[in-house]
Amino acid sequence: LLVGSDYSSGSNEANVYLLGGATPSSRQTTQYLLRNEILRLVGELADEIKFQQGQAANNRENSVMEEYLLGALSNLDEYLRLAPPDELKIARIAVPALSVSPTSAVGR
């Protein structure tokens, strides 16, 4: 879903868009922007984790990491609300749910 699922359905409009011909819908544009923001936040999170690992254990802070993680999760929730229901159902079957919610894992 996160990597261009809007254009994986094989529709003529989707195929033309990939070749630069059709204009994406507002939903597709919003998903594209959300996807980019999710990827940016996850990249920032990875960088912050690396930075914090280089700090002495008693000087580490998790507030910035938590901000990036919660931002990414919030954007992902919005992205998934916009996803076509049939594609979301297939994705949820293919990727089992976490046994622990990601937001409860932030403080770990």
Side-chain angles (χ1 to χ4, degrees), residues 18-19 27 46 71 89 92 98 108:
L18 290 173
L19 298 173
R27 178 186 59 82
K89 182 179 179 181
R92 288 196 166 149
L98 296 171
R108 290 184 178 183

Side-chain angles (χ1 to χ4, degrees), residues 13-24:
E13 180 182 355
N15 290 333
V16 171
Y17 176 72
L18 290 173
L19 298 173
T23 303

